Amino acid sequence: MRVRELSIAGAWEFTPVQHADDRGLFLESFTAPQVAEAIGGEFTLAQVNTSVSAAGVIRGVHFADVPPGQAKYVTCVYGAVLDVVVDLRVGSPTFGGYDAVLLDDSDRRAVYLAEGLGHAFCSLQDGSTVTYLCSTGYNPGAEHGIDPLDDEVGIRWPSVGRDGAPLEFRLSEKDRQAPSLRAAVDAGLLPAFGTES
């Protein structure tokens, strides 16, 4: 598995080696020792989530209170998504910045993001299926979001899908009403840099 550190500290891309023959293919989509080596500690698995999204669906930018926070290992098992990691840690050198990775059923990459980082993606085709390995379980009182279309963050979402057709963005009501980055800072919602577990 090839490992690449992203431009946001605490985030990595993992690209598995695929072994194909006339029967299909095999790959290791997650190996605890390689993830631990990259992140400098063990990744505790507490919950596995799966989402299925139509083309143009944007989910996020989501994050959890720190501590304990929620680290994630995310992959797209069917379809394609532009996966985005946003640095929401106040005081971080890359605060408000983001990095993006294409996750799809061709290269079968995964992204790891540490506690305190925000996560979002845009589905590039109908039925895109994303699996998230999470370090903590769902805690509705500790889950938050910021507006994925916030100009201050400036995520360059794709305008066309995997098939070349124009994308029409669709967001949940919760994500549509999420505060801007500035409003989240002012409300004290964001984690401080260095408080990640």
Side-chain angles (χ1 to χ4, degrees):
M1 188 173 293
R2 291 193 324 268
V3 181
R4 179 177 71 92
E5 190 167 7
L6 300 182
S7 63
I8 304 297
W12 286 265
E13 171 193 277
F14 294 85
T15 304
V17 175
Q18 299 183 54
H19 306 279
D21 61 25
D22 60 350
R23 299 168 300 154
L25 63 85
F26 174 85
L27 63 123
E28 295 175 341
S29 51
F30 174 86
T31 62
Q34 287 183 306
V35 172
E37 182 179 344
I39 69 175
E42 296 298 317
F43 174 73
T44 302
L45 176 59
Q47 184 170 319
V48 178
N49 300 329
T50 300
S51 66
V52 180
S53 302
V57 167
I58 294 177
R59 296 183 187 264
V61 175
H62 299 148
F63 67 100
D65 286 341
V66 177
Q70 187 181 67
K72 296 175 183 172
Y73 186 89
V74 183
T75 191
C76 182
V77 296
Y78 174 79
V81 301
L82 182 69
D83 198 77
V84 178
V85 178
V86 181
D87 193 345
L88 300 177
R89 302 165 298 183
V90 176
S92 167
T94 55
F95 175 73
Y98 75 93
D99 205 343
V101 174
L102 176 66
L103 302 182
D104 63 18
D105 54 14
S106 177
D107 292 325
R108 303 181 190 278
R109 291 183 184 94
V111 168
Y112 170 88
L113 57 146
E115 298 87 348
L117 297 177
H119 179 251
F121 69 80
C122 178
S123 174
L124 303 178
Q125 82 175 58
D126 286 341
S128 291
T129 304
V130 174
T131 299
Y132 320 66
L133 308 182
C134 303
S135 66
T136 58
Y138 177 63
N139 179 356
E143 304 285 332
H144 308 285
I146 65 163
D147 180 358
L149 304 177
D150 181 7
D151 289 336
E152 185 175 352
V153 178
I155 298 170
R156 291 186 0 221
W157 294 110
S159 58
V160 296
R162 199 176 200 189
D163 62 359
L167 290 176
E168 182 178 325
F169 296 145
R170 294 191 260 176
L171 286 74
S172 70
E173 195 57 33
K174 180 180 176 184
D175 288 344
R176 192 174 300 287
Q177 294 181 7
S180 67
L181 181 66
R182 180 59 36 214
V185 169
D186 293 346
L189 287 177
L190 302 180
F193 184 61
T195 60
E196 311 87 286
S197 52

